[in-house]
Amino acid sequence: MRWIALFLFWSGAAFAQSSTVGPRDVEITVTVAEADEIPFTQEMVLITIEGVYRRHVTREKLEQPDLDGFNWVQLGNDYWFESTENGQKVKNFRRRMALYPERAGTLEIGPFIHHLTLTDEGDDWFNHDFYSEPVTIEVAPAPPVPEGEWWFPVRQLRVADDWSNAPDLLKPGEGVLRVVRVEAVGVPPDMIPPMPELRSPSAMIFAHPEKRLVELSPEGPVSVAFWRWTIRPSGDVSAILEPIQFDYYDTRDRTPRRVVISAQRVAYDESTLGSAPPPPEPVALHPLAAALALGLGLLGGLTALLAGRRWGGRAALS
């Protein structure tokens, strides 16, 4: 019993509140997710900020560095939870962030500062700051892309091509809504390529403003873009929409890839189109009108035959 009481005394003393702050009272670390390859510029780099607090914390505020050379997204709210250490409950803190390097080279993630309010022996409050160690990462330049193309490094990509109704069975004068859904894991919405121009030599195309959404997850942002068009064939003919394609870089397999949405026919349903009018029938004349026309024709021919002849008659005999 004596040894148990002594252990409880020392463990309680280790976690007692005082105005003296020991080096292990609070620990805060920044960890970069392991990767097999050096990340490219604009490729997501995941970091985790973790804290362990062996003191009673009255108030807290985490101050992050400027993160010069990075764009960044915080992946959800800060997470506080309890764990057990040597029989004592300790507080834990976790924050996940996605960083996007803006340039190649060696970039530094400066120290995070946790501003804490602690209590001393008299239960009075006092302020104390804790700093994480700075972390450096190496960044490689993005591979060259063709002129006018979009550098799009993404962990996972899903593309769906949906239509409001069957595009080749439209009713006369009807249009169809086409929606291409692009879901990208590991990028914020503004990194998805811009909405392409849909082309067709024989269709009327009305482009709608695109919509972009984002959902935050521990594995990075999940961004979705909706590209929308209303399409109608011009005239009573079918129309062919040209293919849609764009390139992206698969950061898991470390290889460039291409998305191709094949050409699509848009047409009216032939069964709903009006039938073509029949060809005009030959004009039939009444029998009396036909006889009259025949007589007039013979009279006209006889007149032409006798035209220019000189008659003999009486003048010729005299």
Side-chain angles (χ1 to χ4, degrees), residues 62-84:
L62 183 65
E63 178 185 345
Q64 70 181 38
D66 291 337
L67 296 175
D68 180 45
F70 296 96
N71 289 319
W72 57 272
V73 176
Q74 182 173 329
L75 303 175
N77 297 324
D78 296 339
Y79 178 50
W80 287 87
F81 59 99
E82 286 187 346
S83 63
T84 302

Side-chain angles (χ1 to χ4, degrees), residues 3-304:
W3 288 107
I4 296 175
L6 187 60
F7 170 77
L8 293 176
F9 170 80
W10 282 111
S11 61
F15 291 91
Q17 309 306 314
S18 69
S19 57
T20 302
V21 180
R24 293 192 71 254
D25 284 353
V26 175
E27 296 179 11
I28 180 169
T29 59
V30 176
T31 305
V32 179
E34 293 185 3
D36 296 331
E37 304 286 342
I38 297 176
F40 291 120
T41 55
Q42 297 185 358
E43 180 181 345
M44 182 179 68
V45 176
L46 289 173
I47 67 170
T48 304
I49 303 97
E50 295 180 290
V52 180
Y53 307 88
R54 301 176 180 89
R55 297 281 302 258
H56 175 70
V57 177
T58 305
R59 293 183 302 189
E60 61 84 31
K61 181 181 179 181
L62 183 65
E63 178 185 345
Q64 70 181 38
D66 291 337
L67 296 175
D68 180 45
F70 296 96
N71 289 319
W72 57 272
V73 176
Q74 182 173 329
L75 303 175
N77 297 324
D78 296 339
Y79 178 50
W80 287 87
F81 59 99
E82 286 187 346
S83 63
T84 302
E85 186 179 273
N86 296 328
Q88 298 284 339
K89 289 186 177 181
V90 297
K91 287 285 187 179
N92 295 264
F93 166 87
R94 183 179 298 143
R95 175 185 292 183
R96 293 274 281 178
M97 298 182 68
L99 307 185
Y100 298 89
E102 296 180 306
R103 60 177 183 266
T106 302
L107 301 184
E108 182 179 89
I109 302 172
F112 285 74
I113 308 172
H114 214 160
H115 304 286
L116 302 179
T117 300
L118 308 176
T119 55
D120 60 14
E121 299 89 344
D123 207 26
D124 293 324
W125 293 4
F126 68 98
N127 297 325
H128 197 87
D129 295 340
F130 293 87
Y131 295 75
S132 68
E133 294 292 332
V135 178
T136 59
I137 62 171
E138 296 295 326
V139 180
V145 297
E147 183 70 22
E149 295 296 328
W150 194 266
W151 168 238
F152 186 29
V154 60
R155 288 205 168 185
Q156 187 177 3
L157 190 71
R158 291 184 287 268
V159 179
D161 186 16
D162 297 317
W163 301 79
S164 60
N165 46 316
D168 55 350
L169 295 175
L170 302 179
K171 297 178 181 179
E174 185 181 42
V176 61
L177 177 65
R178 183 184 197 179
V179 180
V180 173
R181 183 181 186 272
V182 180
E183 179 181 297
V185 178
V187 298
D190 60 347
M191 284 185 63
I192 296 177
M195 177 175 167
E197 181 181 356
L198 191 60
R199 297 185 177 91
S200 172
S202 55
M204 292 180 288
I205 302 174
F206 306 93
H208 299 273
E210 65 175 316
K211 291 185 178 181
R212 299 193 176 205
L213 307 172
V214 63
E215 180 179 348
L216 301 178
S217 77
E219 299 306 314
V222 181
S223 297
V224 181
F226 295 93
W227 300 337
R228 302 173 297 152
W229 303 268
T230 296
I231 306 153
R232 191 173 64 192
S234 56
D236 293 335
V237 297
S238 64
I240 300 298
L241 301 176
E242 296 180 1
I244 299 174
Q245 66 180 35
F246 61 90
D247 297 331
Y248 71 99
Y249 186 84
D250 187 330
T251 61
R252 285 181 172 174
D253 291 342
R254 314 306 293 179
T255 184
R257 300 189 186 277
R258 171 167 292 181
V259 174
V260 178
I261 304 176
S262 59
Q264 175 66 50
R265 179 175 178 264
V266 177
Y268 295 123
D269 184 358
E270 294 181 0
S271 64
T272 63
L273 297 176
S275 58
E281 296 182 0
V283 177
L285 295 177
H286 192 274
L288 181 60
L292 180 60
L294 178 59
L296 291 176
L298 292 175
L299 180 60
L302 183 59
T303 301

